[in-house]
Amino acid sequence: GMVGPAARACGLLRDVRFQAIDSPAPLTRWTDALGPGLPMWRILSGADRWTFEKGVLVAEPPFAARTIMPFDVCDLAAKVRIEAAGEAVLSLRYNGETVGTDLALPADGKWHDITATLRAEELRATIDGKAATMRHRNNNNNPANDGNIFIEARRGKLELREFRVKQ
């Protein structure tokens, strides 16, 4: 298939990082990962269960999607709201059902700020400024070293806005 500018830039950054491992290229550019038609995402289930209106992705379960390209080195900033008593997952470095790091997202009907920092050996995440509870699906409870970003609405409505990735 065609390689978009974002994927090309990602490849370039990756090459630079391997050449200069002591001083990795600084992350410079924020990309809005949400947009009409969700061009940066592959819908895995629930293709008819989501809408995108006024900058907000609204998904009804069962719904799952992952980014088309992997994000092994990036910063992530997002706002998420999950219906009270619902259940949803945001997974980093996702490589299918058995590989990825899941963040426990609060389901209380309020908007929450999510941040994540992904570096070669490091994976950190916060929810509303506090360290997020993370569950590694594999790898002796260590994070995988690359993979996609994955979202899933399991129960109740999931809403995302300002889902930005810095590379």
Side-chain angles (χ1 to χ4, degrees):
M2 286 177 52
V3 178
R8 269 200 301 277
C10 189
L12 290 173
L13 276 184
R14 198 172 284 134
D15 294 344
V16 167
R17 189 163 54 83
F18 284 133
Q19 287 160 16
I21 205 79
D22 313 47
S23 55
L27 307 185
T28 54
R29 195 169 48 93
W30 283 101
T31 302
D32 186 355
L34 291 178
L38 298 186
M40 290 181 71
W41 296 83
R42 176 166 291 135
I43 309 296
L44 303 177
S45 67
D48 56 347
R49 291 192 189 88
W50 65 275
T51 58
F52 182 77
E53 292 163 25
K54 297 184 180 140
V56 180
L57 167 69
V58 180
E60 298 279 355
F63 170 86
R66 68 165 175 81
T67 54
I68 287 168
M69 58 194 224
F71 290 100
D72 45 356
V73 174
C74 71
D75 292 338
L76 172 69
K79 293 186 189 301
V80 63
R81 179 164 67 182
I82 298 151
E83 198 173 319
E87 185 189 1
V89 168
L90 171 66
S91 192
L92 307 170
R93 294 187 174 164
Y94 173 84
N95 276 300
E97 286 304 305
T98 58
V99 181
T101 297
D102 297 341
L103 306 191
L105 299 175
D108 56 9
K110 299 183 177 125
W111 285 103
H112 295 278
D113 287 305
I114 313 280
T115 70
T117 304
L118 291 82
R119 300 293 180 273
E121 297 299 319
E122 180 187 25
L123 189 56
R124 281 180 300 147
T126 68
I127 299 175
D128 298 328
K130 300 186 183 82
T133 302
M134 295 192 279
R135 185 181 70 86
H136 306 300
R137 297 182 182 207
N138 69 316
N139 203 19
N140 302 321
N141 209 31
N142 293 311
N145 53 13
D146 66 10
N148 303 69
I149 297 168
F150 169 83
I151 52 171
E152 181 180 17
R154 294 177 175 172
R155 203 172 55 242
K157 185 167 60 177
L158 163 73
E159 295 172 274
L160 285 176
R161 64 184 166 100
E162 292 181 32
F163 200 99
R164 297 177 301 131
V165 179
K166 187 181 192 183
Q167 295 170 276

